[in-house]
Amino acid sequence: TLEKTIYNKQITKQWYQRRVAVIYRPPDASLSSFSKLLDQVGHAIETHADNDYDLFITGDFNLPHVDWETLEVRSGGSSESNLSAQRLLNFMSTYLLSQMVNVPTRGNNILDLVLCNNNRLVLDVMAEPTELSDHNMVNVLLSFDPGVLEDAQATYLDESNFRSLDFNRADFSELNKVFNATDWKELRDSGTFEEFPAKFTKKLLSVCLANVPKKRPPSGKPKLYNSLRRRKTKLKIRLSAATCAGDAVRIKNLEDEIGLVSYEIKEAIIHHLEQGEQRAVERIKSNPKYFFSYAKSFSKVKHTISTLLNDNEELVTDRKELANILQKQFSSVYSDPNCPDTSAPTFTVPPTLR
């Protein structure tokens, strides 16, 4: 039967998620049979492919009387054929699909179609004669290689970089021991003043690489609530299309689904916050900086420098005096006066505020 002439394949590889379906509609197929097929495809889309999937539906539909530029059904076909064509257009509108083939595939007609919900994946479409069929062979140039499913790589996980290290899980007590045991003066005297920053950075990186855990590679799955938000957005677009079409049953189903997704978003956010709180509590002893950083992120009051001690050990609150104290401190630690390669600064110290 016509409704069984469908082949679908799911491709899932980390962020690579696509659904592919191949359909054949005989020229004399009835409207009821074709509608059953589209209902089956729609059920597969809604049941097995969430809204983050890219959809490809391709095959020989044998509907020559569709104007794919205006998305209208031209006269000249049989009643069953024209009604089937309109049913396909409604199906495309429901699932936000675009028809990508714009060149004839048999004679002057476009019979072989490629339906897709992501236009950016299709770069070009060509149809060339072939000895294998009376239809032209349709070649679709994609923006990805469907035959190569490589694991997604996190570009920032460079093992020779500080960014590859997870300092949230670092043992700072052990790091301090290593740093205190390092002869930084010997390192400074081993080269010129200009070479020291590079040597210092290299030494610091080597110590951290040996004592700080590496970041875990991403799982490949986006955060649940982000995925649900994208799904809700697409459902709202479908709801707008259903509202324009006046489909009361589909409007009710979409409204219910949007309400359910909204509840799932709320639950996902609560779960995410609970996980963050649990991680912070578990690291109070091993990494107190992580805990206090987490706690401070919920503070609504942003603290500024309110008081400082001046040279006379007196508390200062005036903003100009605070600025002068900070300026004096920064100028005093700008460079190491004992370094043999360091000359006296030639710049003029900014004047203090009066």
Side-chain angles (χ1 to χ4, degrees):
T1 60
L2 176 61
E3 55 267 25
K4 292 184 179 179
T5 60
I6 173 175
Y7 168 79
N8 78 86
K9 174 67 174 176
Q10 175 180 336
I11 302 174
T12 306
K13 191 72 169 180
Q14 291 194 346
W15 294 304
Y16 190 110
Q17 298 186 120
R18 298 192 171 96
R19 272 275 180 182
V20 180
V22 180
I23 292 176
Y24 172 69
R25 175 189 174 276
D28 58 349
S30 65
L31 172 62
S32 61
S33 183
F34 185 56
S35 294
K36 289 181 180 179
L37 182 146
L38 293 182
D39 290 340
Q40 181 181 350
V41 177
H43 178 74
I45 293 174
E46 295 179 357
T47 305
H48 303 294
D50 67 28
N51 292 276
D52 289 329
Y53 276 72
D54 296 320
L55 303 177
F56 285 91
I57 303 175
T58 182
D60 181 5
F61 286 75
N62 283 300
L63 295 172
H65 298 289
V66 179
D67 186 336
W68 291 110
E69 292 186 1
T70 62
L71 297 180
E72 296 179 349
V73 180
R74 299 189 296 261
S75 60
S78 65
S79 175
E80 291 288 303
S81 176
N82 288 348
L83 290 175
S84 296
Q86 189 60 54
R87 178 70 175 83
L88 176 61
L89 293 176
N90 293 339
F91 174 84
M92 292 171 56
S93 175
T94 298
Y95 295 102
L96 307 177
L97 299 171
S98 300
Q99 203 288 109
M100 310 305 298
V101 180
N102 54 11
V103 292
T105 62
R106 185 176 186 274
N108 295 323
N109 299 316
I110 300 178
L111 304 181
D112 304 276
L113 311 178
V114 175
L115 309 180
C116 180
N117 68 342
N118 188 347
N119 297 354
R120 294 175 296 179
L121 298 179
V122 179
L123 302 179
D124 191 26
V125 178
M126 297 180 293
E128 301 175 346
T130 176
E131 297 179 356
L132 302 177
S133 172
D134 58 344
H135 287 237
N136 293 340
M137 180 178 293
V138 179
N139 297 314
V140 180
L141 179 61
L142 302 175
S143 60
F144 65 98
D145 187 349
V148 179
L149 301 182
E150 297 180 351
D151 290 343
Q153 299 293 330
T155 56
Y156 62 87
L157 296 182
D158 181 3
E159 293 188 358
S160 61
N161 194 292
F162 285 103
R163 297 187 66 188
S164 67
L165 304 176
D166 187 356
F167 286 95
N168 289 328
R169 297 188 292 133
D171 185 348
F172 286 95
S173 298
E174 186 64 27
L175 278 175
N176 286 332
K177 291 180 182 178
V178 177
F179 289 145
N180 290 332
T182 303
D183 191 343
W184 298 106
K185 186 176 185 302
E186 180 184 353
L187 180 66
R188 186 191 64 188
D189 296 338
S190 63
T192 64
F193 180 71
E194 289 76 11
E195 296 172 342
F196 176 68
K199 289 187 176 183
F200 175 80
T201 303
K202 184 177 180 180
K203 179 62 177 179
L204 191 63
L205 178 60
S206 65
V207 172
C208 291
L209 289 174
N211 295 277
V212 179
K214 298 285 196 305
K215 287 181 179 177
R216 298 186 180 97
S219 63
K221 296 181 180 179
K223 291 181 179 179
L224 178 59
Y225 55 86
N226 289 337
S227 175
L228 290 172
R229 283 171 176 166
R230 289 193 294 272
R231 183 181 177 189
K232 183 178 179 181
T233 299
K234 292 186 178 182
L235 286 173
K236 285 184 175 181
I237 296 175
R238 290 185 184 179
L239 178 61
S240 298
T243 303
C244 293
D247 190 341
V249 175
R250 185 158 183 79
I251 291 174
K252 179 65 169 58
N253 292 337
L254 287 171
E255 287 178 344
D256 293 343
E257 192 169 354
I258 290 173
L260 180 60
V261 171
S262 299
Y263 175 77
E264 292 177 353
I265 291 174
K266 179 181 177 181
E267 291 297 307
I269 292 175
I270 293 175
H271 179 67
H272 175 73
L273 293 175
E274 289 176 348
Q275 283 185 323
E277 182 177 338
Q278 183 64 28
R279 284 195 299 268
V281 171
E282 291 173 352
R283 296 176 185 174
I284 289 179
K285 291 185 177 180
S286 61
N287 189 358
K289 293 179 68 176
Y290 178 86
F291 172 79
F292 289 114
S293 176
Y294 174 82
K296 189 176 179 181
S297 66
F298 292 93
S299 174
K300 296 182 179 180
V301 179
K302 302 299 181 181
H303 295 283
T304 58
I305 299 175
S306 56
T307 60
L308 289 174
L309 291 174
N310 60 16
D311 295 337
N312 299 324
E313 300 296 323
E314 298 173 343
L315 287 177
V316 175
T317 58
D318 182 72
R319 291 186 178 183
K320 290 184 179 181
E321 293 186 50
L322 292 174
N324 290 334
I325 294 173
L326 292 173
Q327 170 64 31
K328 183 177 180 180
Q329 173 65 20
F330 293 150
S331 299
S332 67
V333 298
Y334 181 78
S335 62
D336 183 357
N338 297 322
C339 180
D341 293 323
T342 303
S343 58
T346 57
F347 62 88
T348 303
V349 177
T352 57
L353 300 174
R354 299 186 186 281

